[in-house]
Amino acid sequence: MDFIVGAFRAGGPFMYVILLALITGLAIIFERSIYILGKNRIDTNAFVNRVIEFIQHNNIKSAIEFCSISNAALPKVIRAGLEESNKSAADIQNAFELAALAEIPKLEKRTQYLSTIANISTLLGLLGTIFGLIASFEAVATADASMKATLLSGGISQAMNTTAFGLISAIPCIVGYSILQEKTNELIDEINQNVARIYSKLIAEKTRKGK
């Protein structure tokens, strides 16, 4: 622990900026994980099959109430279309599309910042190292010949601390970004596929009743 504290202090002011980037990245990962993997986690097949069952029994009101139970993105999008089920096919489709346009950006929100934070952390680490090396060479230039090797090696060691910490900050942000982006894409695909199923069922039922 003393080694870590010592290395952090030796890295200079850049270490505090990198630490701020790391804290920000971890906060985004935590918040997005709760929203994407928690709030939007439902049994999709069971949910959609239940809604289709309500539609087949011409019980749109119950289907809407069932969708209202969950705050996940898919139920909200489906509910928007169900509320327009007594209108034309174009109106139903527009309702689905507008709801999807409102909900999908909420799934993608802030995740892209993780990639930016990872890049910034890496660059800050390199920049801190460059400034550290410049300071080391300036100190060596005015030192006694017997002390130059010691000062130079010590200065380089301290300068490399910022690079190491920059990478330590960047790695979890990159991993978090990759995982969250994959889960977000899976949710968006689920929304598109299941909304299409519900829309087809609604139109089929309207056509059947029209006959």
Side-chain angles (χ1 to χ4, degrees):
M1 188 66 182
D2 291 337
F3 170 77
I4 296 174
V5 173
F8 183 87
R9 290 176 177 172
F14 284 95
M15 300 292 274
Y16 294 94
V17 183
I18 296 171
L19 178 61
L20 178 61
L22 175 59
I23 292 172
T24 303
L26 293 177
I28 292 174
I29 292 172
F30 180 73
E31 184 272 333
R32 288 287 85 192
S33 297
I34 292 175
Y35 186 81
I36 295 171
L37 305 178
K39 184 178 179 181
N40 281 278
R41 186 180 181 85
I42 61 173
D43 189 340
T44 304
N45 289 330
F47 170 79
V48 173
N49 290 336
R50 184 61 173 161
V51 172
I52 290 175
E53 183 180 339
F54 283 127
I55 294 173
Q56 289 174 335
H57 289 85
N58 195 28
N59 195 350
I60 302 299
K61 182 179 179 180
S62 295
I64 293 173
E65 291 175 351
F66 182 64
C67 290
S68 300
I69 296 174
S70 175
N71 289 320
L74 178 59
K76 288 183 178 180
V77 175
I78 292 177
R79 177 183 174 180
L82 292 173
E83 290 175 343
E84 304 295 324
S85 61
N86 60 335
K87 298 182 180 180
S88 66
D91 289 332
I92 296 173
Q93 183 176 0
N94 288 336
F96 278 133
E97 290 177 352
L98 288 174
L101 288 174
E103 293 300 322
I104 288 176
K106 294 179 183 178
L107 297 173
E108 300 172 326
K109 191 175 181 180
R110 284 187 289 276
T111 301
Q112 67 274 13
Y113 294 160
L114 293 173
S115 177
T116 303
I117 290 172
N119 290 330
I120 290 174
S121 296
T122 303
L123 292 175
L124 284 172
L126 293 174
L127 185 60
T129 297
I130 291 172
F131 274 90
L133 290 175
I134 291 172
S136 296
F137 285 119
E138 287 178 349
V140 169
T142 58
D144 294 334
S146 60
M147 295 295 296
K148 285 186 177 182
T150 302
L151 288 173
L152 184 60
S153 61
I156 292 175
S157 176
Q158 290 180 3
M160 295 302 290
N161 290 334
T162 55
T163 298
F165 193 45
L167 294 174
I168 290 172
S169 174
I171 290 171
C173 290
I174 292 174
V175 173
Y177 172 80
S178 299
I179 295 174
L180 290 172
Q181 192 64 44
E182 181 182 357
K183 296 299 181 181
T184 299
N185 290 336
E186 289 177 0
L187 281 174
I188 292 172
D189 289 340
E190 280 187 1
I191 291 172
N192 292 332
Q193 293 171 4
N194 289 292
V195 165
R197 287 180 62 191
I198 298 296
Y199 174 75
S200 298
K201 182 58 64 175
L202 280 172
I203 300 305
E205 290 298 313
K206 285 175 69 70
T207 302
R208 185 180 62 82
K209 287 190 290 185
K211 294 181 180 179

